[in-house]
Amino acid sequence: MESFAGTAPLPISSAGSPVRVWFNDAECDAQEAEADMVSSFEARRFDDVINGSLVQTNRKFVVYVVKTGMLRIMDRHKTGAKGLIREHAKQRITDVQFFNQDDMLASVGGPTLECQESSLIVSRLSQQGLMINYQILLEFTTEHFAMLRIVWHPFDVNQLCVIHTNHENTVVATHVSTQSINSVRSDAGHYVCTFASEFCIKEGAVQIKGAGGNLIDLAWSRTAERHMLAAYDGGSVVLYDWKKPEAIQGDFHASATALGRVQENGSVSRCLFLPHTHSRDSSGATGLTRCFLTASAQNSTITLWSPFTTDGKQPSRLQVFGLENPSLSYLVDACYILPPPLTPTGVPSKTPPSTMVVMADRTAGKIFAWHLKGAWRSESGQPEGSQLILEGCDYVVPFRCKFPTYSWQVRTEASSIDTEDDEDLSSSNLIYYDIQISAFQSSAAQELLLRSMMLLPPPSPWVDPWDGVRVERLWTDVHSAHVSDVGSDDGVLQFDEEYDVEDDDDEEPEFDVAPDVSTLPPPPGIIGGTSNGSNPFSNWLGSLAAEKPSSLPPLATSKALELPPVALPPPTIDPAIIVAEDMPAPFDPAIITSISIPPPVEDPAIITADSMLAPIDNASILNALFTSTTAREATPTISNRGDEMGKAKTDGRNKAPRNRDAVTTSTQLGNGDDLRRVVREEIQSFLGPLVEKAVNEAVNKVALRPIMASISDLSKREMSAQETNKLASAVAENADVVLRAAFQNTVKTAILPALESTMGLVFKQVSDQLEQSMIPLKESRDSKVDTMSAQMTRMTELVARLTTEVQSLRTTVETHQRAARSPATTSPPKKSPDEIRNGIVQFCAARKYEEAFNLALTAADYRFTFLCCQQADITAVFNGEKVKLSALILLCIMQHLTQVINGTNNDKEMEISILWLQEIALSLNPPAREIRQHLPRVIEELTRAINKRIDLGTHTHRNRDFLRILQIVRGLQM
């Protein structure tokens, strides 16, 4: 059997037992997702953070990642306003998240070869005319670990979870409260979090970790915000209560309490809470959570689970579904679709809400929408429809798009179809919401739209077998237990004795809709929502979220404590700060004690070359230093604009934008062979020998000569072993400090001035050469301008001559046209309407349909074409081995019947027109040469006419036929 427009029904269960369903998308047709281009670019795909979002939208803005590690901001309403966030320059951005629909944006940037820092930045967006600005509110920056993603609290802007690596290079999640972290104001004016240690954001912060692997995904419950669901690459899915932390000995962090766990066979790459309170096989036990889903095999396989319950019963697999031949990786998200509030008769609707699990291929242009069926159920003593039951996935709708989707944001919006008076559509279980996808794709950022009429269920239920669908019996071998009891034989979900499930209802109400952040109470120590000075950073995010956006966004409402300036003493030079790599290895006392003291030497300088400081290839060392410096400076970050907004963040500091031409020129010279050669020659001929001479003189003067003189004096007298050891220790201890201080003084007084002088000479020579090389370029440019000016003058003359010739030719053509319209030429006589009508009837009676339609089309009146459709046998025309009419005649008939759809109110005429339009649409071949030029225009007219007829509502019982025609003609456009 074949499904409707590629939609395939799926079995929910088999004889009451759960099933595993595999869908083969190669054996079905796919609909084309509607696309609206936002921007075109070439993007990169990162397979290590597949759940991170690289594009986000809210009510006003669209934000997406550009290739250089920056964030482009655009007005969602396409007014032309733009902005650019440059704070992650040279970093790899792995996640961007808006807080609900607010203008608060969090972005996460990870380390790269050019930048070793990882940062999380919270900004606030605002618009001024055609300029979109951003104000940084909070920044987390570290070089010790990589931050990967951010998960916002469902409704509290002051709380978030950061997914990052720890000191063991394991991925964990840390709960962060902006009311309790330590922060300081930066030179740029925003707050920067100060970490408690290298790998600890805040001492005592709750951390989610320790389930046997790296944390891949984290879901925060919207109904009981103390619960989090974490997925690990070891196959574990763990439910945590982060409000009951457990202290860990020897760790700065506290660990969230694990309430329960289910174990999959492979790596789990996604976890999401569903809106369903119970599953189809659940008893009357109180649910600790709602139903949830997990994704494995790089999001290609989805598993539906029953909820965690308070009686300790383990969650069970309800259904497993996925793709038969999966690609490398997928994106997975779920969107919740509410039914219409009222039926067409005005009665409150009892239809349960729908859930769509949307899956996108990250290597091909494919999207799949899996429909989760729900039902209402009531327990005794409860009102009707108090429990939403998850039945399972009952059908899938495949779509295709132009590019593979690397990242996205999925949301639902009300459908544009008016169904208030449409009883036929209302009775067909039509979904009245469109799925909108902000897609970050391989070559573009697009807004994709899956319309409600594309998500219709299949016309027939599941029948075994079904082409493209394979079903297996699912054996419920899942292991689920309390974390402390994993491996026990009973496999029963248990809870800690200290954990009281009833605390959820007492402390945390269920929020179907997140409360406004401005209504949240201030934290302890805050009077009226403002800082009292004890914690200058507390509740600043909540305060800012409550304010109305202004033209220039203000800074944070709370200010840092201003300390009086303190006169600091000048820094003292500590010889110990010079690392071992900067100096030769220190003396080893064991060497002096194990060998005899050498005899006196007449020239102590000989030891410089033979014993202590062997000569080094200064040219090679300085050449390597210069090459590495040039490589770092050869790729500067260049601003797109020359205004004050064009800032690039380099090496952790904001630098003012430089002139584009100057930056480009210096970069090219820095990479050129000529500049390298000149600098290398200058260093080898001047700086290298000077450095070697200065170091040798300093070491000889300060250390070697005094040491050798003392050794010469001591060698003249006999010494005991004890005195020899004491002398060796003293020499080794004192020589180290003296040598370091001497080398440091030499660097300051000799090496650095020599280097400055040398580089000044080098750049002066380069500047002179550059000026000399620009002179011929300027002369060549002037000559080219003169040549171009002469060519433009010549072109103007040719255009004037061409204009004269065109006018003459036009006069000749008009003369010939007047002669052709002279009375000597007579046109063939036209047939009267009665003759055309009689001819159509005669041809149709003789089954000469080609001649009949040719005669009808010559009249250029759609009424004769409709008469021909009435008289002809539609079965004889289309059901033979070959269609009796040519493709061009069929296209003309479709155009004339479009006029019938627009003009008639007769139901019989409408029925005949619909039958012919369906058969014609199924018979046309779009690539045919004689119709491919005119087919798009005719389809556009037909689509417009059908939509207008649906909006008028005069033939509501024909709406299903209209939608079927739209589905067919849409296939002609693909």
Side-chain angles (χ1 to χ4, degrees), residues 3-61:
S3 60
F4 179 67
T7 303
L10 305 176
I12 294 177
S13 61
S14 176
S17 299
V19 293
R20 180 182 284 110
V21 183
W22 303 109
F23 174 65
N24 190 348
D25 61 295
E27 299 183 10
C28 68
D29 297 329
Q31 304 178 67
E32 184 79 17
E34 297 184 15
D36 185 14
M37 182 70 68
V38 177
S39 178
S40 298
F41 54 86
E42 290 295 327
R44 294 177 58 190
R45 187 186 72 203
F46 302 109
D47 293 328
D48 55 341
V49 191
I50 62 176
N51 296 321
S53 178
L54 303 182
V55 59
Q56 282 283 295
T57 61
N58 67 354
R59 295 166 296 183
K60 296 184 290 186
F61 304 115

Side-chain angles (χ1 to χ4, degrees), residues 121 158 252 420 422 557 657 660 732 972:
I121 298 176
N158 292 302
F252 289 101
E420 293 181 356
D422 198 334
T557 56
R660 179 189 298 271
L972 297 176

Side-chain angles (χ1 to χ4, degrees), residues 634-681:
T635 57
T637 302
I638 302 176
S639 170
N640 288 342
R641 301 191 301 271
D643 54 6
E644 62 275 4
M645 290 300 295
K647 299 180 294 183
K649 186 175 182 181
T650 307
D651 296 334
R653 297 184 296 273
N654 290 332
K655 296 184 179 180
R658 298 178 292 173
N659 182 273
R660 179 189 298 271
D661 298 333
V663 173
T664 306
T665 303
S666 64
T667 303
Q668 294 174 353
L669 289 175
N671 289 331
D673 295 335
D674 296 337
L675 179 59
R676 294 180 184 272
R677 178 179 53 78
V678 172
V679 174
R680 187 179 296 110
E681 291 176 357

Side-chain angles (χ1 to χ4, degrees), residues 378-692:
S378 302
E379 297 289 342
S380 59
Q382 295 182 352
E384 183 179 0
S386 59
Q387 297 179 357
L388 180 59
I389 307 302
L390 175 61
E391 297 283 349
C393 180
D394 57 347
Y395 67 89
V396 58
V397 186
F399 296 89
R400 65 172 179 266
C401 53
K402 189 174 182 180
F403 308 108
T405 304
Y406 292 168
S407 182
W408 66 0
Q409 182 190 22
V410 182
R411 62 192 182 277
T412 56
E413 291 191 8
S415 174
S416 58
I417 297 179
D418 187 7
T419 58
E420 293 181 356
D421 300 323
D422 198 334
E423 182 179 357
D424 183 71
L425 291 180
S426 301
S427 61
S428 63
N429 294 324
L430 184 65
I431 301 173
Y432 298 106
Y433 284 81
D434 297 336
I435 298 179
Q436 294 197 347
I437 301 174
S438 299
F440 182 87
Q441 299 181 321
S442 59
S443 300
Q446 296 193 98
E447 290 286 343
L448 304 179
L449 183 63
L450 310 182
R451 291 196 176 274
S452 55
M453 62 182 179
M454 299 180 180
L455 302 172
L456 288 169
S460 57
W462 159 261
V463 176
D464 193 9
W466 193 281
D467 293 340
V469 179
R470 181 169 61 88
V471 183
E472 299 176 356
R473 182 70 64 86
L474 179 64
W475 300 101
T476 56
D477 55 353
V478 61
H479 176 74
S480 176
H482 188 268
V483 174
S484 60
D485 296 328
V486 171
S488 60
D489 296 331
D490 51 4
V492 177
L493 180 65
Q494 301 176 2
F495 300 95
D496 291 341
E497 295 179 359
E498 297 178 358
Y499 181 78
D500 188 3
V501 179
E502 296 181 356
D503 291 345
D504 291 350
D505 298 330
D506 296 337
E507 298 177 10
E508 302 296 337
E510 292 192 357
F511 289 94
D512 292 333
V513 179
D516 188 357
V517 292
S518 61
T519 62
L520 297 177
I526 303 301
I527 303 174
T530 59
S531 173
N532 59 6
S534 61
N535 182 6
F537 198 71
S538 58
N539 205 28
W540 64 273
L541 281 178
S543 301
L544 283 176
E547 295 177 1
K548 295 181 179 179
S550 58
S551 58
L552 290 176
L555 293 176
T557 56
S558 55
K559 299 182 179 179
L561 294 177
E562 299 292 341
L563 297 178
V566 179
L568 298 177
T572 58
I573 300 175
D574 184 5
I577 64 174
I578 304 178
V579 297
E581 288 79 356
D582 298 332
M583 288 292 298
F587 289 100
D588 188 355
I591 299 178
I592 300 178
T593 57
S594 61
I595 61 175
S596 61
I597 299 177
V601 182
E602 295 181 1
D603 187 4
I606 299 177
I607 301 179
T608 303
D610 295 339
S611 304
M612 300 190 64
L613 290 176
I616 303 174
D617 187 1
N618 296 289
S620 62
I621 294 178
L622 293 172
N623 181 30
L625 175 62
F626 178 76
T627 304
S628 63
T629 305
T630 306
R632 284 195 305 269
E633 298 177 353
T635 57
T637 302
I638 302 176
S639 170
N640 288 342
R641 301 191 301 271
D643 54 6
E644 62 275 4
M645 290 300 295
K647 299 180 294 183
K649 186 175 182 181
T650 307
D651 296 334
R653 297 184 296 273
N654 290 332
K655 296 184 179 180
R658 298 178 292 173
N659 182 273
R660 179 189 298 271
D661 298 333
V663 173
T664 306
T665 303
S666 64
T667 303
Q668 294 174 353
L669 289 175
N671 289 331
D673 295 335
D674 296 337
L675 179 59
R676 294 180 184 272
R677 178 179 53 78
V678 172
V679 174
R680 187 179 296 110
E681 291 176 357
E682 292 292 335
I683 290 177
Q684 291 176 350
S685 62
F686 179 72
L687 183 59
L690 180 62
V691 171
E692 182 179 0

